[in-house]
């Protein structure tokens, strides 16, 4: 079943993790039918894939530690919980007597979003626009810029979310708003 470890994974239980290799794929795979189109190739070139160290920070196993299927499965769950990853799979690979390498394969999703709104009611205009990237520069950080202007208030908002502050498991969210009414 999907999400279940390969039966072979249990054969590595207790072996020492020698190396972790990150294989991060682009948004679209040109080798797949229907994904080798000019627009998709352009999107792949424009998109900054998640940096390997961002993925490594979320893996519960490290080189020199004993391999555990449970830690591997939990690491996959952590990676899949990121909205900037479409898929994540960790495969143990034999690396010699009592050693195992881990191949971590991920695939990004498009994370840049934006919006514009305009409204006129009662002779007054209101508008808004925003831009948000939930994997800013491939760092796994979310940055949002927002401007909303209505009858009573104009607001400029900057928001920053970091799910792994300085490589830790600490989350932080900072928001700054400059409002015309204080």
């Amino acid at each position: 079943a999907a999400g279940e470890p390969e039966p072979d994974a249990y054969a590595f239980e207790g072996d020492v993790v020698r190396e972790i290799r990150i294989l991060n794929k682009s948004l679209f795979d040109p080798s797949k039918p229907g994904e080798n189109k000019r627009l998709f190739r352009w999107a792949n070139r424009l998109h900054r894939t998640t940096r390997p160290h961002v993925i490594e920070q979320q893996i519960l196993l490290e080189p020199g530690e004993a391999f555990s299927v449970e830690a591997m499965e939990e690491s996959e769950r952590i990676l899949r919980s990121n909205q900037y990853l479409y898929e994540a799979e960790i495969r143990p690979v034999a690396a010699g007597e009592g050693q195992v390498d881990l191949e971590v394969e991920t695939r990004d999703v498009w994370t840049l979003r934006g919006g514009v709104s305009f409204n006129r009611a009662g002779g007054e205009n209101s508008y808004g626009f925003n831009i948000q990237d939930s994997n800013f520069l491939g760092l796994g950080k979310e940055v949002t810029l927002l401007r909303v202007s209505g009858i009573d208030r104009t607001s400029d908002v900057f928001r920053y979310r970091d799910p792994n502050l300085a490589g830790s498991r600490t989350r932080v969210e900072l928001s700054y708003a400059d409002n015309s009414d204080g």
Side-chain angles (χ1 to χ4, degrees):
E4 301 261 333
E6 299 275 333
D8 296 350
Y10 291 102
F12 299 109
E13 191 79 35
D15 285 0
V16 174
V17 175
R18 184 184 72 160
E19 178 184 35
I20 298 174
R21 290 187 296 272
I22 307 298
L23 310 167
N24 192 351
K25 296 181 177 178
S26 294
L27 304 168
F28 300 100
D29 184 354
S31 68
K32 288 186 177 178
E35 291 191 23
N36 190 15
K37 299 191 183 307
R38 182 175 299 173
L39 177 64
F40 297 156
R41 290 190 305 270
W42 179 78
N44 279 345
R45 282 193 298 274
L46 186 63
H47 176 74
R48 175 63 168 103
T49 56
T50 305
R51 297 171 192 242
H53 78 273
V54 172
I55 294 167
E56 285 174 6
Q57 290 173 345
Q58 299 175 64
I59 298 170
L60 301 176
L61 295 160
E62 292 184 19
E65 292 183 350
F67 174 77
S68 157
V69 172
E70 184 178 304
M72 179 189 76
E73 290 174 329
E74 184 60 24
S75 296
E76 285 181 328
R77 281 190 283 276
I78 290 169
L79 289 170
R80 283 193 294 266
S81 72
N82 293 303
Q83 61 184 357
Y84 53 83
L85 293 177
Y86 176 72
E87 59 190 7
E89 181 182 357
I90 301 174
R91 287 182 301 279
V93 178
E97 189 63 35
Q99 293 186 324
V100 63
D101 289 344
L102 299 179
E103 286 186 350
V104 182
E105 188 173 309
T106 62
R107 185 170 178 187
D108 282 7
V109 297
W110 186 261
T111 57
L112 184 63
R113 294 185 294 272
V116 176
S117 65
F118 179 80
N119 186 33
R120 181 164 176 84
E124 298 290 332
N125 294 333
S126 61
Y127 67 90
F129 63 87
N130 68 68
I131 188 164
Q132 176 185 22
D133 192 348
S134 59
N135 191 10
F136 186 67
L137 300 176
L139 296 170
K141 318 302 182 202
E142 182 178 306
V143 175
T144 303
L145 298 171
L146 169 71
R147 180 174 181 96
V148 179
S149 180
I151 297 170
D152 299 325
R153 167 191 284 183
T154 298
S155 297
D156 295 311
V157 178
F158 171 78
R159 185 177 308 128
Y160 173 80
R161 298 174 80 188
D162 187 343
N164 299 99
L165 182 64
S168 70
R169 303 258 185 254
T170 303
R171 295 175 184 256
V172 68
E173 181 173 341
L174 304 170
S175 186
Y176 172 79
D178 183 14
N179 301 312
S180 61
D181 62 350

